[in-house]
Amino acid sequence: MNLAIFVLGTLLAVLAARGRSGVLVRRGATAGVVGLMVVAPVITSSTSVLFDALTAMCVAYGWNIIGGYAGYVVFGNVAYLGLGAFVAAGFMSRQPGHLAWPWFVGIPLAVLIVALVAGAIGLVVLRLRGHYFSIATLGVGVAMPQVITADAVFGPHGVFPNFFGGGLPLNFPLADDVRLGSLTLGADQYFFYGLGLCSALLAWALTRLVARSKFGYGLVAIRENEQAAEVMGINTTLTKAYAYMLSAALAALGGAVIGYKLTNMTTEADVLFSTGNNLQMIIICLIGGIGSLWGPWIGAFILFGLQEALRMVSGSAEFLAWQGVLFALLVVLVVLFLPRGVMLFVATRTRLTWRVFARNLTANRV
Amino acid sequence: VDFVQHVVNGLLQGCILALVGLGFSLVWGILNIINLAHAALIMIAAYLTYFLWSLVGIDPFVSLPITMLALFGAGYLLQRYVINLVMGASILTTFLLTFGIESLVVNLALRLFSADTRQTKPLYANASLSIGPLYLPYTQLGAVVVALVLTYLLYLFLDHTRAGSSIRAVGQDRVAARLMGIDIARTYALTFGLGAALAAASGTLLSTTSGFAPNGFASFNVLAFSVVVLGGLGSIPGVLLGGLVFGLVYEFGGTYVLSQRDVVIFAILILVLVVRPTGLLGRQDYR
């Protein structure tokens, strides 16, 4: 069932993204894909995979803004993903010393704080360009897990004592099942899925807003030629900083929701800050098409649909172990054969033939 | 004495770090790509050394040329037939390709070799040369000799051979080099092969000086980058200097300041990039 939802969702998204289809078709397809996702928990037995796809999509939309629209390739957004989860846990945890705030306060606040942190880091790293910028953000990703365990700040006697655990366990509170009369709506099936869907839709809406705004055109101008953009009167420093903050905020939103569902931050820290998460947001954008509104949506659905299909075919946990290898192989193959992603066929008049792949492969050869 | 011992440890470690940065610097300086698969190459060499020692019984310092040759071949082919395909594309493409290769290798290693920590431990692994109150482990000393010799050999190769000259020519001006009759694709492959061989040497040495596991190599890319940035791109003595500085930082950062080494590296990296982007000994021509 989930596979069917992924396939149908991809097709509807492709229809919604096609430049050639009429306005009515595009709007209809957009409404269709949103409607499909809203009714999904009723028609499928487990929304777990859909939740994974939607939260990953939200994070990928974040990467898309800075890496796609602005052309500043970041490798460290996993830092903000993890940080978002930890800050939200710090506010929401019901353990002693924590604030036990509800999710609708804790998560937005965490997103805001991470955005501000990213703004401060961005002011430094955005002074760099090209290779230097990308590696500096990779450094952010490597350093962040160590920062949140720094005893001087978050230890038992630090500035924020035990905010991130600091030796003590850190947990999100458990979410209760919702009861409507005799009907019980499971937390995993409905509540967390709803949060995931809302964050993905928010990310999509924000991207749509950005892509059509002066700010968004500024980002594209920076990507194409930063100096020219500056001459044209764009405040490139500020524009880049906002893009970086927005990107981190979406990573934090996705991360906080993922963390909320995982619950135990002490044991799941490695999962949140993993290279897999870092790679995933990039591969989603890459498959779909970097720097486009529907790219991350299509990419996420294809990636997780593929995953679901493989799991059904292999039918064992053995497959999960090989997932990292498959993903990495997919990155290499897509970079070589389809660097513009599926959007190449969706947004332009390029036909899907073997020759397209062959041409892509040899186009940039020395 | 404690202090002097730490300085010595840091300098010994620094020579190996310089070797980590050397291959990275060569590939970056000549090919103008950041090779994010560098850490993966180091890892492959570490495992190759480990298995040659544990299964066949070859001493790591004897197997060094073997791993270097093997990785040279692998690097040459990788550049010649894969990475050369995207050399004309945007920076994002080369980044993603090497990033993809890196995660492919690391994930494969995790599946094949498990996440267990291993170390190549020949009989003399725990023996040390003691000079007065100072202790110098033999493996560390051997590693330093290898690192310095290889650095000097690279310098000689680039400066005094025809192939070395063509590598430098391509690094300076690709178009002009092509007009002079240099085969760009093969020179790129040769350069990447050399970078891989140097990565192999550092991997071999690292496998003897400390324990390693597939996912422990991730920070070596940032480290190599930082070493090169600190020393200055395009300068072999610069890489050596950068390595030594980071060796000391590692030793003292880990001992006195705080346990968060990667944070320290990152802070230095940012500071250097913002204050002096060309590094301490940066230059245009590669030598």
Side-chain angles (χ1 to χ4, degrees), chain B residues 186-211:
Chain B
R186 277 176 58 191
T187 309
Y188 277 169
L190 180 66
T191 312
F192 197 92
L194 281 176
L198 290 166
S202 61
T204 299
L205 301 180
L206 283 166
S207 84
T208 61
T209 55
S210 59

Side-chain angles (χ1 to χ4, degrees), chain A residues 171-208:
Chain A
N171 287 317
F172 276 98
L174 289 174
D176 297 323
D177 296 348
V178 177
R179 284 179 206 286
L180 295 173
S182 61
L183 201 65
T184 307
L185 302 178
D188 276 2
Q189 180 81 356
Y190 289 93
F191 174 67
F192 284 119
Y193 175 78
L195 277 186
L197 180 58
C198 286
S199 47
L201 289 178
L202 187 69
W204 176 85
L206 265 174
T207 305
R208 196 182 135 109

Side-chain angles (χ1 to χ4, degrees), chain B residues 216-229:
Chain B
F217 286 85
S219 60
F220 277 109
N221 280 327
V222 183
L223 183 69
F225 186 88
S226 312
V227 165
V228 175
V229 165

Side-chain angles (χ1 to χ4, degrees), chain A residues 124 132 135-136 146 282 321 364, chain B residues 85 88 111 225 262 266 270 273:
Chain A
V124 181
Y132 293 92
I135 295 283
Q146 301 198 347
I282 302 174
N364 294 303
Chain B
L85 290 169
R111 293 306 307 146
F225 186 88
D262 290 339
F266 176 63
I270 294 294
L273 283 176

